[in-house]
Structure formats: structure tokens, C-alpha cells
Amino acid sequence: MIPLSILDLSPVTEGGSVRQSFANSVALAQTGERLGYRRLWLAEHHGMAGIASAATSVLIGHIAGATSTIRVGAGGIMLPNHAPLLIAEQFGTLDALYPGRIDLGLGRAPGSDQMVSQAIRRDLHAASERFPQDVQEVMAYFRDEGPVLAVPGGGANVDVWILGSSLFGASLAAHLGLPYAFASHFAPQALSQAIEVYRNHFKPSARLDKPYLMLGYNVIAADTDEEAAVLATSQQQAFVRMVTGQRGQLPPPIPGYRESLPPELQAHLARTLSCSAVGSVETVARQMQAFAAETGADELMVTGMIFDQAARLRSYEIAAQAAGL
């Protein structure tokens, strides 16, 4: 049995609303808590019509307040967008409200395009170069070190993670002795190398005595393989729209969609979504177990962009069953 967690983008569906997306995220967190998922993370993205989790720390507080035991956190906060002190204050506040349940995953990507980056009023190139120093600054605020106090924040018991999709994040997490979450659910190209770098170069720290690796993994599950294949076409459409510059809200499924695409887009989906399980409980169990055995992951963070909320919750139920939660 491998621990499972949930990555939620609070998707906005076609014909839906942001308010409904937030209600859906709360229901997903409550379902995950009941089923035995370890944590639910929300991702910071900006300027995307189909993703409602931009104000990540606000939504974390909303979901933590509607649950009682599941850990809730950021997967992640894109630190180049923020001053480290403000993040320490926000997550110190969350820890004071929901002690022992808050995770802070920190990423280096901006989570947006260049135009949105300008609207954020940050020099993201320079901030990206400062990422290692900024991570350590956030952690210093939690330890109450330095001339500036984070109030709230000092003394907070927040679990800090490094997120990544390249060797940079793996190397930084290893150097700092922090747990590492790799975005294999949409950027699997450097997965094997990143795992090797993280494990081979890990330095024990006060936070962690040995490497701890969590991997993103797509699961679209249903009662039959055929039903799951249809549900998966919403996520496929979202990825195709992204690569072709036609972003929008999450669309309803289209039977036969993937087969209707030109070969180059089918190949793109095959590469991008290679770390996925799509099918019934038996199919998902087999594929998930093979992925966990191949990578040696300590935890999987399951995600799946499914249009219908009832089908989405059912997918997470089946994934939990497949993993033996």
C-alpha cells in the first residue's frame, strides 16, 4: 500500500462558476479525508480561465476549515511571485488556525505567462535566480531567525517541500534535506534523472533524515475502462488547448476525441500524460502499482481533470480502492 494524496486545481468547468469550483474542491477534500488520502494540495496558477486556485493560501484556509484531519497545503506556491516574508506570514497564519495540518510546497516556475508576470509586478527572472535563497529565507522566518520577525510565522510547524519538474529542484531539495515532489503528472521527461539526483545527493537535515519522494500521477478511474477513457478526454482537450494557445474552461468529454487528433498532438499527449492510469479499479491498480514499483516513490499525489463532479469523486474513490487505502 502506497500513501495517496490529492492535487486539486479547483477547475472551472464550461457552464460552471468559480463559486461552484470552490464548493467542488471542498467536497473533494472531505471525500479524500473520508477515504484516507494523506493530504490535499492546491496549485498556484494565474490568468487561466479554467483554474480557480490563484489565491492559493486563501483557498487552503477555506478547505482546511471544512475538514478536520487531512493535511492541506500548496502544491505549490510559486515563490518568484511573492516576497518570502509574506508567504511566511500567510502560512504562519494557516498553521495557527489549523495546527499540524499545513504543507507549503515551493516552486520556482511563475505559474503564468509573461503578460501575467508583468501584472504581478515582479521581476520573475531575477526572482527565479534567487529561489534557493528565498526558500531558506522562508524557513528562517519559521525558525524565528534574523532581524525581521514573521508574525504570525515565527515558530510555525509548517511542512516545507520543494517542487520541481527538472534537476534543479531535485538538487535543491537534496541539498536542503527537504522532501521533494516531482511534477511527473504533466512533465515526466526528467523523472528518472531527478529521482537519481535527489536520492544520490540527499543530505540529512533536522527536518528529514532520509529522502522522501512524492510523484504526481494522473488517475481517471470509472467503473469500466471504456467509461474512464471517455472521462479522460476533458483533460486531453485541456492539454491540447494549452499547447495550441486556446486556453479556456474545462470542457465536457468527447468520445473518440484522442483518436480524432492529428498524429503530432496524439504523440504530445502520449509524452505529457505518460504517468497516468486510466480505467477500472483493476486497470488502475495494475498501472499504479507498476509506476510505484518502477520509481520507488514514497507517496503518490493523484490528480485528474474530470468534468462531472460526481464522476470526479467516484474516480478518487476507485483510486483509493486500487491503492488499498
Side-chain angles (χ1 to χ4, degrees), residues 74 76 94 106 116 193 219 305 309:
L94 289 166
L106 295 171
V116 175
Q193 289 177 287
V219 173
M305 301 285 275
Q309 174 70 356

Side-chain angles (χ1 to χ4, degrees), residues 25-102:
S25 290
V26 167
L28 176 59
Q30 292 170 338
T31 298
E33 183 171 81
R34 173 177 58 83
L35 293 170
Y37 283 85
R38 179 167 291 182
R39 64 189 95 237
L40 180 139
W41 281 3
L42 295 143
E44 177 188 346
H45 292 278
H46 300 281
M48 297 185 180
I51 297 176
S53 53
T56 314
S57 58
V58 177
L59 192 52
I60 288 170
H62 178 61
I63 289 176
T67 52
S68 57
T69 58
I70 192 171
R71 298 189 68 90
V72 187
I77 290 293
M78 301 296 103
L79 198 51
N81 296 339
H82 308 277
L85 174 61
L86 300 185
I87 294 303
E89 290 172 342
Q90 290 171 21
F91 280 79
T93 299
L94 289 166
D95 177 69
L97 291 169
Y98 310 105
R101 295 181 55 208
I102 301 301

Side-chain angles (χ1 to χ4, degrees), residues 20 22 38 44 59 80 90 122 169 178 197 218 227 231 261 273 306:
Q20 185 59 54
F22 293 157
R38 179 167 291 182
E44 177 188 346
L59 192 52
Q90 290 171 21
R122 296 278 285 170
L178 292 175
V197 166
N218 297 291
E227 182 185 355
L231 293 176
L261 294 172
L273 301 176
I306 296 175

